Amino acid sequence: MIDVTIANFEQEVIAASMNLPVLVDFWAPWCGPCKAIGPILDELAKAYGDKVKFTKCNVDDNPVTPGKFGIKAIPTLIFFKNGEV
């Protein structure tokens, strides 16, 4: 899983989704449900990493990015393809 931030979101998610679908897991370290799905996403990344790019965005460290996509609760998973949600 690749950590995405405001600095690399455009490159790692938007641009990368032109070639491969990108899943972004919006999460926070204090979030219990986020911790619960983390291992599942890691397993999916191992199994399907050649078909889907798996990333995660810590909402505490990157508060602007979730707002751009209307995220009001975590965990939230969003797929990007061809630069769009």
Side-chain angles (χ1 to χ4, degrees):
M1 297 270 291
I2 297 169
D3 288 316
V4 292
T5 65
I6 190 76
N8 69 358
F9 195 88
E10 181 68 33
Q11 176 186 349
E12 294 290 345
V13 177
I14 305 300
S17 73
M18 297 299 182
N19 301 317
L20 201 62
V22 178
L23 175 72
V24 181
D25 172 21
F26 291 91
W27 71 287
W30 48 263
C31 170
C34 298
K35 289 179 184 178
I37 67 167
I40 296 166
L41 292 174
D42 289 338
E43 286 181 35
L44 290 171
K46 287 178 188 171
Y48 299 101
D50 58 332
K51 296 179 177 145
V52 177
K53 182 176 182 177
F54 290 81
T55 67
K56 59 183 180 174
C57 180
N58 183 327
V59 298
D60 288 340
D61 295 341
N62 303 283
V64 174
T65 305
K68 289 182 179 180
F69 301 103
I71 295 170
K72 297 183 193 259
I74 54 172
T76 296
L77 304 173
I78 298 180
F79 272 99
F80 290 79
K81 186 172 181 182
N82 297 322
E84 298 180 359
V85 174

